[in-house]
Amino acid sequence: MTSMHLLIRGRVQGVGYRATFAEVAIKLGLRGWVRNRHDGSVEAYLHGSNDSIDAIVTWAKRGPPAAQVDEVTATPAQDAAENFSSFRIRPTL
């Protein structure tokens, strides 16, 4: 199990990116969260198997059909103090 922080830039708000990201993350068995940021990017914290994280990073580079992803920055993260039991959408930061 590993943890990863993602920052996704491009046209990723107002196109269903967060909701679709959450659906994919849940299907992959990931725990953590995704949220919009006021700067127009999307941020996610993920915890799960290496294969599942690799799969969602690959998906994040495409996103849903209406998205135009310019950049995905994936950074290994320390396990959060929170004990995530599921995946959820958080409010905008």
Side-chain angles (χ1 to χ4, degrees):
M1 301 296 268
T2 190
S3 298
M4 188 72 59
H5 176 261
L6 299 183
L7 189 59
I8 302 106
R9 291 187 172 92
R11 187 175 39 147
V12 293
Q13 290 190 16
V15 295
Y17 196 98
R18 279 182 311 161
T20 309
F21 188 102
E23 288 174 18
V24 172
I26 291 165
K27 286 179 185 175
L28 291 170
L30 293 166
R31 294 178 286 153
W33 50 261
V34 64
R35 67 180 167 201
N36 283 341
R37 295 178 52 92
H38 287 296
D39 66 1
S41 65
V42 170
E43 178 181 31
Y45 177 89
L46 309 162
H47 184 75
S49 72
N50 289 335
D51 288 343
S52 292
I53 288 179
D54 288 346
I56 200 148
V57 169
T58 298
W59 180 90
K61 292 175 182 178
R62 290 185 321 268
Q68 181 180 339
V69 179
D70 294 334
E71 178 183 17
V72 175
T73 305
T75 308
Q78 297 292 330
D79 287 338
E82 298 177 65
N83 222 353
F84 296 117
S85 60
S86 62
F87 196 90
R88 65 187 183 104
I89 297 174
R90 283 193 170 174
T92 299
L93 172 70

Coordinates of all heavy atoms in Angstrom, one line a residue:
M1 N 0.9 -1.2 0.0 CA 0.0 0.0 0.0 C 0.9 1.2 0.0 O 1.9 1.3 0.7 CB -0.9 0.0 1.2 CG -1.8 -1.2 1.3 SD -3.0 -1.3 0.0 CE -4.4 -0.4 0.7
T2 N 0.4 2.2 -0.7 CA 1.2 3.5 -0.9 C 0.2 4.6 -0.9 O -1.0 4.5 -1.1 CB 2.1 3.4 -2.1 OG1 3.0 4.5 -2.1 CG2 1.3 3.5 -3.4
S3 N 0.8 5.8 -0.7 CA 0.0 7.1 -0.8 C 0.6 8.0 -1.8 O 1.8 8.1 -2.0 CB 0.0 7.7 0.6 OG -0.6 6.9 1.6
M4 N -0.3 8.7 -2.5 CA 0.1 9.6 -3.5 C -0.7 10.9 -3.5 O -1.9 10.8 -3.3 CB 0.0 8.9 -4.9 CG 0.5 9.7 -6.1 SD 2.3 9.7 -6.2 CE 2.7 7.9 -6.3
H5 N -0.1 12.0 -3.7 CA -0.8 13.3 -3.9 C -0.7 13.7 -5.3 O 0.3 13.6 -6.0 CB 0.0 14.4 -3.0 CG -0.6 15.7 -3.2 ND1 -0.1 16.7 -4.0 CD2 -1.7 16.3 -2.6 CE1 -0.8 17.8 -3.9 NE2 -1.8 17.6 -3.1
L6 N -1.9 14.1 -5.9 CA -2.0 14.5 -7.3 C -2.4 15.9 -7.4 O -3.3 16.3 -6.6 CB -3.0 13.6 -8.1 CG -2.7 12.1 -8.2 CD1 -3.8 11.5 -9.1 CD2 -1.4 11.8 -8.7
L7 N -1.9 16.6 -8.3 CA -2.3 18.0 -8.7 C -2.5 18.0 -10.2 O -1.6 17.7 -10.9 CB -1.3 19.0 -8.3 CG -1.8 20.5 -8.4 CD1 -3.1 20.7 -7.5 CD2 -0.7 21.4 -7.9
I8 N -3.8 18.2 -10.6 CA -4.1 18.1 -12.0 C -4.5 19.5 -12.5 O -5.3 20.2 -11.9 CB -5.3 17.2 -12.2 CG1 -5.0 15.8 -11.7 CG2 -5.7 17.1 -13.7 CD1 -5.7 15.4 -10.4
R9 N -3.8 19.9 -13.6 CA -4.1 21.3 -14.2 C -4.6 21.2 -15.6 O -4.3 20.2 -16.3 CB -2.8 22.1 -14.1 CG -2.3 22.4 -12.7 CD -1.1 23.4 -12.8 NE -0.8 23.9 -11.5 CZ 0.0 23.3 -10.6 NH1 0.6 22.2 -11.0 NH2 0.2 23.8 -9.5
G10 N -5.3 22.2 -16.0 CA -5.9 22.2 -17.3 C -7.4 22.6 -17.2 O -7.8 23.3 -16.2
R11 N -8.2 22.2 -18.2 CA -9.6 22.5 -18.1 C -10.2 21.2 -17.3 O -10.6 20.3 -17.9 CB -10.3 22.6 -19.4 CG -11.8 23.0 -19.3 CD -12.3 23.3 -20.7 NE -11.8 22.4 -21.6 CZ -12.5 21.9 -22.7 NH1 -13.7 22.4 -22.9 NH2 -12.0 21.1 -23.5
V12 N -10.2 21.3 -16.0 CA -10.6 20.2 -15.2 C -11.7 20.5 -14.2 O -12.1 19.7 -13.3 CB -9.4 19.6 -14.5 CG1 -8.4 18.9 -15.5 CG2 -8.6 20.6 -13.6
Q13 N -12.2 21.7 -14.3 CA -13.4 22.1 -13.4 C -14.5 22.4 -14.3 O -14.4 23.0 -15.4 CB -13.0 23.3 -12.5 CG -12.0 22.9 -11.4 CD -11.9 24.0 -10.4 OE1 -12.7 25.0 -10.3 NE2 -10.8 23.9 -9.6
G14 N -15.7 22.0 -13.9 CA -16.9 22.3 -14.7 C -17.1 21.3 -15.8 O -18.0 21.5 -16.7
V15 N -16.4 20.2 -15.7 CA -16.5 19.1 -16.8 C -16.7 17.7 -16.2 O -16.6 16.7 -16.9 CB -15.2 19.1 -17.7 CG1 -15.0 20.4 -18.4 CG2 -13.9 18.8 -16.8
G16 N -17.1 17.7 -14.9 CA -17.3 16.4 -14.3 C -16.1 15.6 -13.9 O -16.1 14.4 -13.6
Y17 N -15.0 16.3 -13.8 CA -13.7 15.7 -13.5 C -13.7 15.0 -12.1 O -13.4 13.9 -11.9 CB -12.5 16.7 -13.6 CG -11.2 16.0 -13.7 CD1 -10.6 15.8 -14.9 CD2 -10.5 15.5 -12.5 CE1 -9.3 15.1 -15.0 CE2 -9.3 14.9 -12.6 CZ -8.7 14.7 -13.8 OH -7.5 14.1 -13.9
R18 N -14.1 15.8 -11.1 CA -14.1 15.3 -9.7 C -15.0 14.1 -9.5 O -14.6 13.1 -8.9 CB -14.5 16.3 -8.7 CG -13.5 17.3 -8.3 CD -14.1 18.3 -7.2 NE -15.3 18.8 -7.7 CZ -16.2 19.4 -7.0 NH1 -16.1 19.5 -5.7 NH2 -17.4 19.8 -7.5
A19 N -16.2 14.2 -10.0 CA -17.2 13.1 -9.8 C -16.7 11.8 -10.5 O -16.8 10.7 -10.0 CB -18.5 13.5 -10.4
T20 N -16.2 12.0 -11.7 CA -15.7 10.8 -12.5 C -14.4 10.3 -11.9 O -14.3 9.1 -11.8 CB -15.4 11.2 -14.0 OG1 -16.6 11.9 -14.5 CG2 -15.2 10.0 -14.8
F21 N -13.6 11.1 -11.4 CA -12.3 10.7 -10.7 C -12.7 9.8 -9.5 O -12.2 8.8 -9.3 CB -11.5 11.9 -10.2 CG -10.2 11.6 -9.7 CD1 -9.1 11.8 -10.4 CD2 -10.0 11.1 -8.4 CE1 -7.8 11.5 -9.9 CE2 -8.8 10.8 -7.8 CZ -7.7 11.0 -8.6
A22 N -13.7 10.3 -8.7 CA -14.2 9.6 -7.5 C -14.7 8.2 -7.9 O -14.4 7.2 -7.3 CB -15.2 10.4 -6.7
E23 N -15.5 8.1 -9.0 CA -16.1 6.9 -9.5 C -14.9 5.9 -9.8 O -15.0 4.7 -9.4 CB -16.9 7.1 -10.7 CG -18.3 7.7 -10.4 CD -19.0 8.0 -11.7 OE1 -18.7 7.5 -12.7 OE2 -20.0 8.9 -11.6
V24 N -13.9 6.4 -10.5 CA -12.8 5.5 -10.9 C -12.0 5.1 -9.7 O -11.7 3.9 -9.6 CB -11.9 6.3 -12.0 CG1 -10.6 5.5 -12.2 CG2 -12.7 6.5 -13.2
A25 N -11.8 6.0 -8.8 CA -11.0 5.7 -7.6 C -11.8 4.6 -6.8 O -11.1 3.6 -6.3 CB -10.8 6.9 -6.7
I26 N -13.1 4.7 -6.7 CA -13.8 3.7 -5.9 C -13.8 2.3 -6.6 O -13.6 1.3 -5.9 CB -15.3 4.2 -5.7 CG1 -15.3 5.4 -4.7 CG2 -16.2 3.1 -5.2 CD1 -16.6 6.2 -4.7
K27 N -13.9 2.3 -7.9 CA -13.8 1.1 -8.7 C -12.5 0.4 -8.5 O -12.4 -0.8 -8.5 CB -14.1 1.3 -10.1 CG -15.6 1.6 -10.4 CD -15.8 1.8 -11.9 CE -17.2 2.2 -12.2 NZ -17.5 2.5 -13.6
L28 N -11.4 1.2 -8.3 CA -10.1 0.7 -8.2 C -9.7 0.3 -6.7 O -8.7 -0.2 -6.4 CB -9.0 1.7 -8.7 CG -9.0 1.9 -10.2 CD1 -8.2 3.1 -10.5 CD2 -8.5 0.7 -10.9
G29 N -10.7 0.6 -5.8 CA -10.5 0.2 -4.4 C -9.6 1.2 -3.7 O -9.0 0.9 -2.6
L30 N -9.5 2.4 -4.2 CA -8.6 3.4 -3.5 C -9.4 4.1 -2.4 O -10.6 4.2 -2.4 CB -8.2 4.5 -4.5 CG -7.2 3.9 -5.6 CD1 -7.0 4.9 -6.7 CD2 -5.8 3.6 -4.9
R31 N -8.6 4.6 -1.4 CA -9.2 5.5 -0.4 C -8.6 6.8 -0.5 O -7.5 7.0 -1.0 CB -8.9 4.8 1.0 CG -9.6 3.5 1.2 CD -9.2 2.9 2.5 NE -7.9 2.3 2.4 CZ -7.0 2.2 3.4 NH1 -7.4 2.5 4.6 NH2 -5.8 1.7 3.2
G32 N -9.3 7.8 0.1 CA -8.8 9.2 0.1 C -9.8 10.2 -0.4 O -11.0 10.1 0.0
W33 N -9.4 11.2 -1.1 CA -10.3 12.3 -1.5 C -9.8 13.0 -2.8 O -8.7 12.9 -3.2 CB -10.5 13.3 -0.4 CG -9.2 13.8 0.2 CD1 -8.6 13.4 1.4 CD2 -8.3 14.9 -0.3 NE1 -7.4 14.1 1.6 CE2 -7.3 15.0 0.6 CE3 -8.4 15.7 -1.4 CZ2 -6.2 16.0 0.4 CZ3 -7.4 16.7 -1.6 CH2 -6.3 16.8 -0.7
V34 N -10.8 13.8 -3.3 CA -10.5 14.7 -4.5 C -11.3 16.0 -4.2 O -12.3 15.9 -3.6 CB -10.9 14.0 -5.8 CG1 -12.4 13.7 -5.9 CG2 -10.4 14.8 -7.0
R35 N -10.7 17.1 -4.7 CA -11.4 18.4 -4.5 C -10.9 19.4 -5.6 O -9.8 19.2 -6.1 CB -11.2 19.0 -3.2 CG -9.7 19.4 -2.9 CD -9.6 19.9 -1.5 NE -8.2 20.0 -1.1 CZ -7.7 20.1 0.1 NH1 -8.6 20.1 1.1 NH2 -6.5 20.2 0.4
N36 N -11.8 20.3 -5.9 CA -11.4 21.5 -6.7 C -10.6 22.4 -5.9 O -10.7 22.5 -4.6 CB -12.6 22.2 -7.2 CG -13.3 21.5 -8.4 OD1 -12.7 20.6 -9.0 ND2 -14.5 21.9 -8.6
R37 N -9.7 23.2 -6.5 CA -9.0 24.3 -5.9 C -9.4 25.6 -6.5 O -9.7 25.6 -7.7 CB -7.5 24.0 -6.0 CG -7.0 22.8 -5.2 CD -5.5 22.5 -5.4 NE -4.7 23.6 -5.1 CZ -4.2 23.9 -3.9 NH1 -4.4 23.0 -2.9 NH2 -3.5 25.0 -3.7
H38 N -9.3 26.7 -5.8 CA -9.7 28.0 -6.3 C -8.9 28.4 -7.5 O -9.3 29.3 -8.2 CB -9.6 29.0 -5.2 CG -10.7 28.9 -4.2 ND1 -12.1 29.1 -4.5 CD2 -10.7 28.6 -2.8 CE1 -12.8 28.9 -3.4 NE2 -12.0 28.6 -2.4
D39 N -7.7 27.9 -7.7 CA -6.8 28.3 -8.8 C -7.2 27.5 -10.1 O -6.6 27.7 -11.1 CB -5.3 28.0 -8.5 CG -5.0 26.6 -8.3 OD1 -5.8 25.7 -8.5 OD2 -3.8 26.3 -8.0
G40 N -8.3 26.7 -10.1 CA -8.8 26.0 -11.2 C -8.2 24.6 -11.4 O -8.6 23.9 -12.3
S41 N -7.4 24.2 -10.5 CA -6.8 22.9 -10.6 C -7.7 21.9 -9.8 O -8.6 22.3 -9.1 CB -5.4 22.8 -10.1 OG -5.3 23.1 -8.7
V42 N -7.4 20.6 -9.8 CA -8.0 19.6 -9.0 C -6.9 18.9 -8.3 O -5.8 18.6 -8.8 CB -8.8 18.6 -9.9 CG1 -9.2 17.4 -9.1 CG2 -10.0 19.2 -10.5
E43 N -7.2 18.6 -7.0 CA -6.2 18.0 -6.1 C -6.8 16.7 -5.6 O -8.0 16.6 -5.3 CB -5.9 18.9 -5.0 CG -4.9 18.4 -3.9 CD -4.7 19.4 -2.8 OE1 -5.6 20.2 -2.5 OE2 -3.6 19.4 -2.2
A44 N -5.9 15.7 -5.4 CA -6.4 14.4 -4.9 C -5.3 13.8 -4.0 O -4.1 14.0 -4.2 CB -6.7 13.4 -6.0
Y45 N -5.7 13.1 -2.9 CA -4.9 12.3 -2.1 C -5.4 10.9 -2.2 O -6.6 10.6 -2.0 CB -4.9 12.8 -0.6 CG -4.1 12.0 0.3 CD1 -2.7 12.2 0.5 CD2 -4.6 10.8 0.9 CE1 -2.0 11.4 1.3 CE2 -3.8 10.0 1.7 CZ -2.5 10.3 1.9 OH -1.7 9.5 2.7
L46 N -4.5 10.0 -2.5 CA -4.9 8.6 -2.7 C -4.1 7.6 -1.8 O -2.9 7.8 -1.6 CB -4.6 8.2 -4.2 CG -5.1 9.1 -5.2 CD1 -4.4 8.9 -6.5 CD2 -6.6 8.9 -5.4
H47 N -4.7 6.6 -1.4 CA -4.1 5.5 -0.7 C -4.6 4.2 -1.2 O -5.8 4.0 -1.3 CB -4.3 5.6 0.9 CG -3.6 4.6 1.7 ND1 -2.3 4.8 1.9 CD2 -4.0 3.5 2.2 CE1 -1.9 3.7 2.6 NE2 -2.9 2.9 2.8
G48 N -3.7 3.3 -1.6 CA -4.1 2.0 -2.1 C -2.9 1.3 -2.7 O -1.7 1.6 -2.5
S49 N -3.2 0.3 -3.5 CA -2.2 -0.6 -4.1 C -1.4 0.2 -5.2 O -2.0 1.1 -5.8 CB -2.8 -1.8 -4.7 OG -3.5 -1.5 -5.8
N50 N -0.2 -0.1 -5.4 CA 0.6 0.5 -6.5 C -0.1 0.4 -7.8 O -0.1 1.4 -8.6 CB 2.0 -0.1 -6.5 CG 2.8 0.3 -5.3 OD1 2.6 1.3 -4.7 ND2 3.8 -0.6 -5.0
D51 N -0.7 -0.8 -8.1 CA -1.3 -1.0 -9.4 C -2.5 0.0 -9.5 O -2.8 0.6 -10.6 CB -1.8 -2.4 -9.6 CG -0.6 -3.3 -9.8 OD1 0.5 -2.9 -10.2 OD2 -0.8 -4.6 -9.7
S52 N -3.3 0.1 -8.5 CA -4.5 1.0 -8.5 C -4.1 2.4 -8.7 O -4.7 3.2 -9.4 CB -5.4 0.8 -7.3 OG -6.0 -0.5 -7.3
I53 N -3.1 2.8 -8.0 CA -2.6 4.2 -8.1 C -2.0 4.5 -9.4 O -2.3 5.5 -10.1 CB -1.6 4.6 -6.9 CG1 -2.4 4.6 -5.6 CG2 -0.8 5.9 -7.2 CD1 -1.5 4.9 -4.4
D54 N -1.3 3.6 -10.0 CA -0.8 3.7 -11.4 C -1.9 3.9 -12.4 O -1.9 4.7 -13.3 CB 0.1 2.5 -11.8 CG 1.4 2.5 -11.1 OD1 1.8 3.5 -10.5 OD2 2.1 1.5 -11.1
A55 N -3.0 3.1 -12.2 CA -4.2 3.1 -13.1 C -4.9 4.5 -13.0 O -5.3 5.0 -14.0 CB -5.1 2.0 -12.7
I56 N -5.0 5.0 -11.8 CA -5.8 6.3 -11.7 C -4.9 7.4 -12.2 O -5.4 8.4 -12.7 CB -6.4 6.6 -10.3 CG1 -7.5 7.6 -10.5 CG2 -5.3 7.0 -9.3 CD1 -8.6 7.5 -9.5
V57 N -3.6 7.4 -12.0 CA -2.7 8.4 -12.6 C -2.8 8.4 -14.1 O -2.9 9.5 -14.7 CB -1.2 8.2 -12.1 CG1 -0.3 9.1 -12.8 CG2 -1.1 8.5 -10.6
T58 N -2.8 7.2 -14.7 CA -3.0 7.1 -16.1 C -4.3 7.7 -16.5 O -4.4 8.5 -17.5 CB -2.9 5.7 -16.6 OG1 -1.6 5.2 -16.3 CG2 -3.1 5.5 -18.1
W59 N -5.4 7.4 -15.8 CA -6.7 7.9 -16.1 C -6.7 9.5 -15.9 O -7.3 10.2 -16.8 CB -7.8 7.3 -15.2 CG -9.1 7.9 -15.5 CD1 -10.0 7.4 -16.4 CD2 -9.7 9.1 -15.0 NE1 -11.1 8.3 -16.5 CE2 -11.0 9.3 -15.6 CE3 -9.3 10.0 -14.0 CZ2 -11.8 10.4 -15.3 CZ3 -10.1 11.1 -13.7 CH2 -11.4 11.3 -14.3
A60 N -6.1 10.0 -14.9 CA -6.1 11.4 -14.6 C -5.4 12.2 -15.7 O -5.8 13.4 -15.9 CB -5.3 11.7 -13.3
K61 N -4.5 11.6 -16.4 CA -3.9 12.3 -17.6 C -4.9 12.5 -18.7 O -4.6 13.4 -19.6 CB -2.7 11.6 -18.0 CG -1.6 11.6 -17.0 CD -0.4 10.8 -17.4 CE 0.7 10.8 -16.3 NZ 1.8 9.9 -16.6
R62 N -5.9 11.7 -18.8 CA -7.0 11.9 -19.8 C -8.2 12.6 -19.3 O -8.7 13.5 -19.9 CB -7.4 10.5 -20.3 CG -6.4 9.8 -21.2 CD -7.0 8.5 -21.7 NE -7.9 7.8 -20.8 CZ -7.5 6.8 -20.0 NH1 -6.3 6.5 -19.9 NH2 -8.4 6.2 -19.2
G63 N -8.7 12.1 -18.1 CA -9.9 12.7 -17.5 C -11.1 12.3 -18.3 O -11.1 11.5 -19.2
P64 N -12.3 12.8 -17.9 CA -13.5 12.6 -18.6 C -13.5 13.3 -20.0 O -12.6 14.1 -20.2 CB -14.6 13.2 -17.7 CG -13.9 14.2 -16.9 CD -12.5 13.7 -16.8
P65 N -14.4 12.9 -20.9 CA -14.3 13.4 -22.3 C -14.2 15.0 -22.4 O -13.5 15.4 -23.3 CB -15.6 12.9 -22.9 CG -16.0 11.7 -22.1 CD -15.5 12.0 -20.7
A66 N -14.9 15.7 -21.6 CA -14.9 17.2 -21.7 C -13.7 17.9 -21.1 O -13.5 19.0 -21.4 CB -16.2 17.8 -21.1
A67 N -12.9 17.1 -20.4 CA -11.7 17.7 -19.8 C -10.6 17.9 -20.8 O -10.5 17.2 -21.8 CB -11.2 16.8 -18.7
Q68 N -9.7 18.8 -20.5 CA -8.4 19.0 -21.3 C -7.3 19.1 -20.2 O -7.1 20.1 -19.6 CB -8.5 20.2 -22.1 CG -7.2 20.4 -22.9 CD -7.2 21.6 -23.8 OE1 -8.2 22.2 -24.1 NE2 -6.0 22.1 -24.2
V69 N -6.7 18.0 -20.0 CA -5.6 17.9 -18.9 C -4.3 18.4 -19.5 O -3.8 17.8 -20.5 CB -5.5 16.5 -18.4 CG1 -4.4 16.4 -17.3 CG2 -6.8 16.0 -17.8
D70 N -3.7 19.4 -18.9 CA -2.4 19.9 -19.3 C -1.3 19.3 -18.6 O -0.2 19.1 -19.1 CB -2.4 21.4 -19.2 CG -3.3 22.1 -20.1 OD1 -3.7 21.6 -21.1 OD2 -3.8 23.3 -19.7
E71 N -1.5 19.0 -17.3 CA -0.4 18.5 -16.5 C -1.0 17.7 -15.3 O -1.9 18.1 -14.7 CB 0.4 19.7 -16.0 CG 1.6 19.3 -15.0 CD 2.3 20.6 -14.5 OE1 1.8 21.7 -14.6 OE2 3.4 20.4 -14.0
V72 N -0.3 16.6 -14.9 CA -0.6 15.9 -13.7 C 0.7 15.7 -13.0 O 1.7 15.1 -13.5 CB -1.2 14.5 -14.0 CG1 -1.4 13.7 -12.7 CG2 -2.5 14.6 -14.7
T73 N 0.8 16.3 -11.8 CA 1.9 16.1 -10.9 C 1.6 15.1 -9.8 O 0.7 15.3 -9.0 CB 2.3 17.5 -10.2 OG1 2.5 18.4 -11.3 CG2 3.6 17.4 -9.4
A74 N 2.3 14.0 -9.8 CA 2.1 12.9 -8.8 C 3.3 12.9 -7.9 O 4.5 12.7 -8.3 CB 2.0 11.6 -9.5
T75 N 3.1 13.1 -6.6 CA 4.1 13.1 -5.6 C 3.8 12.1 -4.5 O 2.7 12.1 -4.0 CB 4.2 14.5 -4.9 OG1 4.2 15.5 -6.0 CG2 5.3 14.7 -4.0
P76 N 4.8 11.2 -4.2 CA 4.5 10.3 -3.1 C 4.2 11.1 -1.8 O 4.8 12.1 -1.6 CB 5.9 9.5 -3.0 CG 6.5 9.7 -4.3 CD 6.1 11.0 -4.8
A77 N 3.3 10.6 -1.1 CA 2.8 11.3 0.2 C 3.1 10.4 1.4 O 3.0 9.2 1.3 CB 1.4 11.7 0.0
Q78 N 3.3 11.1 2.5 CA 3.3 10.4 3.7 C 1.9 9.9 4.1 O 1.0 10.6 3.7 CB 3.8 11.3 4.9 CG 5.2 11.8 4.7 CD 6.3 10.7 4.8 OE1 6.0 9.7 5.5 NE2 7.4 10.8 4.1
D79 N 1.8 8.8 4.7 CA 0.4 8.4 5.1 C -0.2 9.5 6.0 O 0.5 10.0 6.9 CB 0.5 7.1 5.9 CG 0.8 5.9 4.9 OD1 0.5 6.0 3.7 OD2 1.2 4.9 5.4
A80 N -1.4 9.8 5.6 CA -2.1 10.9 6.4 C -2.4 10.4 7.8 O -2.5 9.3 8.1 CB -3.3 11.3 5.6
A81 N -2.5 11.4 8.7 CA -2.9 11.1 10.0 C -4.3 10.5 10.1 O -4.7 9.7 10.9 CB -2.8 12.3 10.9
E82 N -5.1 11.0 9.1 CA -6.5 10.5 8.9 C -6.4 9.0 8.5 O -5.6 8.6 7.7 CB -7.3 11.3 7.9 CG -7.4 12.7 8.2 CD -8.1 13.4 7.1 OE1 -9.3 13.1 6.9 OE2 -7.5 14.3 6.5
N83 N -7.3 8.2 9.0 CA -7.4 6.8 8.5 C -8.6 6.8 7.6 O -9.7 6.6 8.0 CB -7.7 5.9 9.8 CG -6.9 4.7 9.7 OD1 -6.2 4.4 8.7 ND2 -6.9 3.9 10.7
F84 N -8.3 6.9 6.3 CA -9.4 6.9 5.3 C -10.0 5.5 5.2 O -9.3 4.5 5.0 CB -8.8 7.3 3.9 CG -8.3 8.7 3.9 CD1 -7.0 9.0 3.6 CD2 -9.1 9.8 4.1 CE1 -6.5 10.3 3.6 CE2 -8.7 11.1 4.1 CZ -7.4 11.3 3.8
S85 N -11.3 5.4 5.3 CA -12.0 4.2 5.1 C -12.7 4.1 3.8 O -13.3 3.1 3.5 CB -13.0 4.0 6.3 OG -13.9 5.0 6.3
S86 N -12.7 5.2 3.1 CA -13.5 5.2 1.8 C -12.8 6.3 0.9 O -11.8 6.9 1.3 CB -14.9 5.5 2.0 OG -15.1 6.8 2.6
F87 N -13.5 6.6 -0.2 CA -13.1 7.7 -1.1 C -14.2 8.7 -1.1 O -15.4 8.3 -1.3 CB -12.7 7.2 -2.5 CG -11.9 8.2 -3.3 CD1 -10.6 8.2 -3.2 CD2 -12.6 9.2 -4.0 CE1 -9.8 9.2 -3.9 CE2 -11.8 10.2 -4.7 CZ -10.5 10.1 -4.6
R88 N -13.9 10.0 -1.1 CA -14.9 11.0 -1.1 C -14.5 12.3 -1.8 O -13.3 12.5 -2.0 CB -15.4 11.3 0.3 CG -14.4 12.0 1.2 CD -15.0 12.1 2.6 NE -14.0 12.8 3.5 CZ -14.2 14.0 3.9 NH1 -15.2 14.7 3.5 NH2 -13.3 14.6 4.7
I89 N -15.5 13.1 -2.1 CA -15.2 14.4 -2.7 C -15.3 15.4 -1.6 O -16.2 15.5 -0.8 CB -16.3 14.7 -3.8 CG1 -16.2 13.7 -5.0 CG2 -16.1 16.2 -4.3 CD1 -17.3 13.9 -6.0
R90 N -14.2 16.2 -1.5 CA -14.1 17.2 -0.5 C -14.6 18.6 -1.1 O -14.5 18.8 -2.3 CB -12.7 17.4 0.1 CG -12.4 16.3 1.0 CD -11.1 16.6 1.7 NE -10.8 15.7 2.8 CZ -9.7 15.7 3.6 NH1 -8.8 16.6 3.3 NH2 -9.6 14.9 4.6
P91 N -14.9 19.5 -0.2 CA -15.2 20.9 -0.7 C -14.0 21.6 -1.3 O -12.9 21.2 -1.0 CB -15.7 21.6 0.6 CG -16.0 20.6 1.6 CD -15.1 19.4 1.2
T92 N -14.3 22.6 -2.1 CA -13.2 23.3 -2.8 C -12.4 24.0 -1.7 O -12.8 24.5 -0.7 CB -13.9 24.4 -3.7 OG1 -14.6 23.7 -4.7 CG2 -12.8 25.2 -4.4
L93 N -11.0 24.0 -2.0 CA -10.1 24.7 -1.1 C -9.6 26.0 -1.7 O -9.2 26.0 -2.9 CB -8.9 23.8 -0.9 CG -7.7 24.4 -0.1 CD1 -8.1 24.6 1.4 CD2 -6.5 23.5 -0.2

